[in-house]
């Protein structure tokens, strides 16, 4: 049984993880675990880095092809795609965000893990509006690059 089937929350054990080199250039991590008929992520990618065997299969990222552009993040209705770029002591996490208030570039926010626990402070580096989903890039400690998946903003 996978870790998320026991706990209801994904862990890195459930994921196909990129290499250090892939993380340094920045790549998409897809945390989509339900086999449902859905595929906008595939069409959103400008370099065809996301593939699916069929409409019900889980999407797979080709880390060699992925250029870390983040376009897929705002197209996923399941809010299941993140782009991670990690180097030295800092990591950039690009994540989908649908809460209010929306942070501004330069804000300090709380960085949360998959369980919703506050793990560190983060600095907002980019805020993009993609349809109803904001695509936010937050800078955090590199050692938390594969853990931070949300933010909490205080007004
Ligand atoms: S980050 Fe860009 S290149 Fe990578 S999978 Fe997403 S859309 Fe494709
Ligand atoms: S768009 Fe999102 S929810 Fe749909 S298959 Fe792709 S990753 Fe999964």
């Amino acid at each position: 049984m996978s870790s998320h089937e026991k706990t209801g929350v994904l862990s890195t054990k459930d994921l196909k993880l990129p290499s250090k080199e892939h993380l340094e250039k920045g790549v998409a991590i897809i945390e989509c675990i339900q086999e449902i008929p859905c595929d906008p992520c595939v069409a959103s990618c400008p370099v065809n880095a996301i593939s699916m065997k069929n409409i019900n299969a889980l999407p797979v990222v080709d880390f060699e092809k992925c250029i870390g552009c983040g376009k897929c993040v705002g197209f996923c209705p399941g809010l299941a795609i993140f782009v991670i770029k990690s180097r030295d002591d800092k990591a950039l996490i690009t994540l989908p965000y649908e809460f209010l208030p929306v942070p501004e570039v330069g804000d300090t926010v709380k960085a949360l893990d998959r369980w919703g626990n506050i793990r560190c402070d983060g600095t907002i580096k980019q805020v993009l509006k993609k349809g109803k989903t904001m695509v936010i890039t937050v800078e955090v400690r590199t050692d938390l690059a594969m853990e931070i998946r949300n933010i909490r903003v205080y007004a």
Side-chain angles (χ1 to χ4, degrees):
M1 183 183 279
S2 61
S3 131
H4 73 270
E5 285 174 307
K6 288 185 206 152
T7 65
V9 178
L10 273 177
S11 82
T12 50
K13 291 185 192 139
D14 300 312
L15 301 172
K16 177 191 165 200
L17 297 177
S19 66
K20 184 170 175 283
E21 290 70 30
H22 289 140
L23 283 173
E24 284 181 353
K25 75 167 175 148
V27 286
I29 307 289
I30 297 191
E31 305 198 359
C32 176
I33 51 168
Q34 281 192 306
E35 296 188 353
I36 51 169
C38 178
D39 68 353
C41 53
V42 174
S44 74
C45 181
V47 295
N48 298 317
I50 304 176
S51 62
M52 293 171 69
K53 285 186 183 151
N54 60 64
I55 185 74
N56 288 304
L58 296 180
V60 176
V61 178
D62 182 332
F63 295 135
E64 285 296 313
K65 284 188 185 172
C66 176
I67 55 173
C69 68
K71 200 170 164 212
C72 52
V73 176
F75 276 83
C76 169
L79 310 183
I81 309 183
F82 307 83
V83 171
I84 314 301
K85 184 171 186 174
S86 155
R87 185 167 289 178
D88 301 327
D89 60 339
K90 300 287 184 199
L92 294 172
I93 317 291
T94 298
L95 50 86
Y97 187 77
E98 293 189 339
F99 297 103
L100 292 172
V102 175
E104 295 182 4
V105 171
D107 284 356
T108 299
V109 297
K110 296 300 176 191
L112 314 179
D113 63 19
R114 295 181 187 84
W115 291 85
N117 295 321
I118 295 172
R119 299 292 295 276
C120 64
D121 282 346
T123 305
I124 300 297
K125 293 293 181 182
Q126 184 169 265
V127 177
L128 296 174
K129 180 101 172 84
K130 304 253 181 168
K132 72 180 173 64
T133 305
M134 308 295 298
V135 176
I136 307 263
T137 301
V138 60
E139 185 180 72
V140 297
R141 289 172 12 211
T142 287
D143 61 305
L144 293 175
M146 295 307 295
E147 303 297 331
I148 300 303
R149 291 296 180 267
N150 207 344
I151 56 168
R152 183 177 299 164
V153 181
Y154 292 102

